[in-house]
Amino acid sequence: MVDIIIGSIAPAGIQPNKPGSGGAPIEAELLHVRDPRQRIVGPLGQERRKQPRKDPQNGKVLTLLIPDSTLLPKDFDVKKYKVLLRFMKK
């Protein structure tokens, strides 16, 4: 499962100095939409999460299901890829 965070980030599109990946669109099912995480403070006043993050204030967290994971790149990693979304009504 992959969480995609949408918020105040750089506009989506092809960067002028980077070539396009040429990947085909992959259909996904939207399972859940929620507000961004809020700070969680433990009993001693410290962050309880192992990886502290600050989600964008106006962001939304989407949970997507990719029915056929073989369509994903073999080296799929959050550090190597960015995701562009296109929404279509059913």
Side-chain angles (χ1 to χ4, degrees):
M1 187 178 346
V2 177
D3 280 350
I4 298 175
I5 302 171
I6 300 176
S8 56
I9 59 173
I14 298 174
Q15 300 296 327
N17 296 336
K18 295 181 181 178
S21 64
I26 297 175
E27 189 170 338
E29 182 180 345
L30 182 60
L31 299 178
H32 185 64
V33 179
R34 68 171 174 81
D35 290 330
R37 291 174 286 221
Q38 301 297 318
R39 181 175 162 85
I40 299 176
V41 179
L44 300 176
Q46 297 176 347
E47 179 75 27
R48 292 188 331 193
R49 291 194 277 273
K50 294 178 183 176
Q51 296 177 344
R53 290 188 167 218
K54 185 175 181 185
D55 289 345
Q57 185 176 5
N58 294 328
K60 290 286 184 186
V61 178
L62 308 180
T63 303
L64 300 174
L65 171 66
I66 311 294
D68 185 4
S69 67
T70 61
L71 299 175
L72 295 173
K74 300 294 181 208
D75 60 343
F76 186 65
D77 188 345
V78 295
K79 295 179 182 177
K80 294 181 181 179
Y81 290 90
K82 77 176 174 182
V83 177
L84 305 175
L85 298 175
R86 180 176 152 202
F87 292 94
M88 300 179 348
K89 289 197 176 207
K90 289 184 177 182

